[in-house]
Amino acid sequence: MMMQQPCVYPPAVPNPMMEKVAVTVSFAVMIAMNFALAGGQFANTIAPTYLDPDALTFAVWPVIYLLYLVLVVVQCMTDFQVEEILSRTCVVTGLNVRWRLVAAFSLNWIWLPVFERQLFGIALIIIATYLSVLLSLYYSMNPNRMYSFYQVCALSAPISANTAWLLVATCLNLFIVLGVNGWVDEYGVYGSPLAAIIVALASMSIAQLVAMVSFDFMWPAVAAWALAGINRMQTIPDAERFPVEAMNARLAQAAFLAMIVCALFAVGAFIGSVMTMCFPRGENAFKALPPM
């Protein structure tokens, strides 16, 4: 007589409610503080820098916040795969993805009043810490570590977009700190065209790298947008934001070239990501399942 095998039910999906609430509340606070303070822009600087983009460029922030809104909603309603992704920990701090999101959201709005009070050195420390948290999140959540295109868009894309933008923003903050301490030209502009060109080309190179390695399309897309803003600042006169006599053609050309390259790599990475998701990722889709 054949013995009946016991019925084994799949375990319930973990439900870390406190972490979910912490992410949601910290996101809401970040949005509220941005509306109450500076809207996420570099405002009230003592002088312009050669890395300044035009005002239109800051329209990227609503897009980033919308992407984060999707992430916040998704992290509240997880399956095994998503929960496995969100449970990944940082090798340095030991924090999982949700707690690092709380840290990133908090550092976002903490930077604003510090910068507005022109405490640029402290602001640089905060934004550099913010960038390091995002880089840690990117390591855990880059497109190569997702299981589906849906997860790339819902979980990875906001981290990529924010990190690409903050990389340039951190350099801009550094230009301001150095400018306050004497790195200013005869036009009263902080930094130099050559240094800004180096940052633009470095941003382009990093965007190319992540596009090729991870099929990350959001990072080069945001990098292209930031570089386009720098190009417009150097080609469209706006005396209220940047001295016309200081506009630099070489910087404008370098930013434009870097923008085009980033845009092309963004398109290529998007096509590659979509095509890759049509085939198995080479990983067990159920690896997040605990042993039964």
Side-chain angles (χ1 to χ4, degrees), residues 15 61 82 84 101 103 209:
N15 186 29
W61 275 114
V82 173
E84 185 275 325
L101 284 172
L209 179 64

Side-chain angles (χ1 to χ4, degrees), residues 17-275:
M17 183 57 65
M18 185 178 70
E19 295 178 7
K20 295 179 180 181
V21 171
V23 171
T24 304
V25 171
S26 61
F27 174 75
V29 172
M30 176 183 70
I31 297 299
M33 293 300 291
N34 271 269
F35 273 110
L37 294 170
Q41 296 189 25
F42 282 92
N44 295 331
T45 59
I46 295 176
T49 80
Y50 281 104
L51 272 182
D52 283 0
D54 67 351
L56 175 63
T57 316
F58 292 99
V60 72
W61 275 114
V63 176
I64 293 174
Y65 291 147
L66 181 61
L67 291 170
Y68 269 133
L69 176 60
V70 174
L71 189 157
V72 170
V73 172
V74 169
Q75 67 91 29
C76 289
M77 302 177 293
T78 57
D79 56 19
F80 280 113
Q81 287 184 358
V82 173
E83 200 58 48
E84 185 275 325
I85 293 168
L86 296 175
S87 66
R88 294 170 184 169
T89 57
C90 173
V91 295
V92 177
T93 64
L95 297 175
N96 66 21
V97 166
R98 283 192 176 94
W99 287 120
R100 281 178 281 163
L101 284 172
V102 171
F105 293 160
S106 301
L107 289 166
N108 175 290
W109 71 261
I110 290 171
W111 176 87
L112 289 168
V114 174
F115 190 86
E116 288 290 330
R117 286 167 176 76
Q118 299 185 358
L119 302 172
F120 300 126
I122 298 176
L124 179 59
I125 294 172
I126 293 171
I127 200 171
T129 305
Y130 181 14
L131 178 61
S132 67
V133 173
L134 288 177
L135 289 171
S136 170
L137 282 166
Y138 187 79
Y139 178 79
S140 298
M141 301 175 69
N142 68 75
N144 259 355
R145 303 195 68 186
M146 299 294 107
Y147 298 102
S148 67
F149 189 70
Y150 156 74
Q151 292 171 358
V152 170
C153 296
L155 302 177
S156 182
I159 303 301
S160 297
N162 198 358
T163 308
W165 176 266
L166 209 70
L167 187 64
V168 178
T170 302
C171 294
L172 198 161
N173 202 151
L174 176 61
F175 272 41
I176 293 172
V177 171
L178 296 176
V180 170
N181 288 278
W183 192 28
V184 58
D185 66 9
E186 65 272 23
Y187 305 111
V189 181
Y190 292 162
S192 70
L194 177 59
I197 290 172
I198 292 173
V199 171
L201 296 181
S203 178
M204 177 194 72
S205 300
I206 295 171
Q208 287 178 282
L209 179 64
V210 298
M212 291 187 296
V213 172
S214 302
F215 284 137
D216 188 340
F217 54 88
M218 189 59 69
W219 186 309
V222 172
W225 179 257
L227 292 164
I230 296 172
N231 169 263
R232 289 192 299 269
M233 182 65 87
Q234 297 299 318
T235 55
I236 303 174
D238 184 357
E240 292 185 1
R241 293 182 62 88
F242 195 88
V244 176
E245 62 274 14
M247 294 170 65
N248 188 276
R250 289 186 178 179
L251 173 56
Q253 293 167 359
F256 181 78
L257 173 63
M259 174 200 70
I260 295 297
V261 172
C262 286
L264 292 175
F265 271 82
V267 173
F270 178 80
I271 296 172
S273 182
V274 172
M275 293 294 293

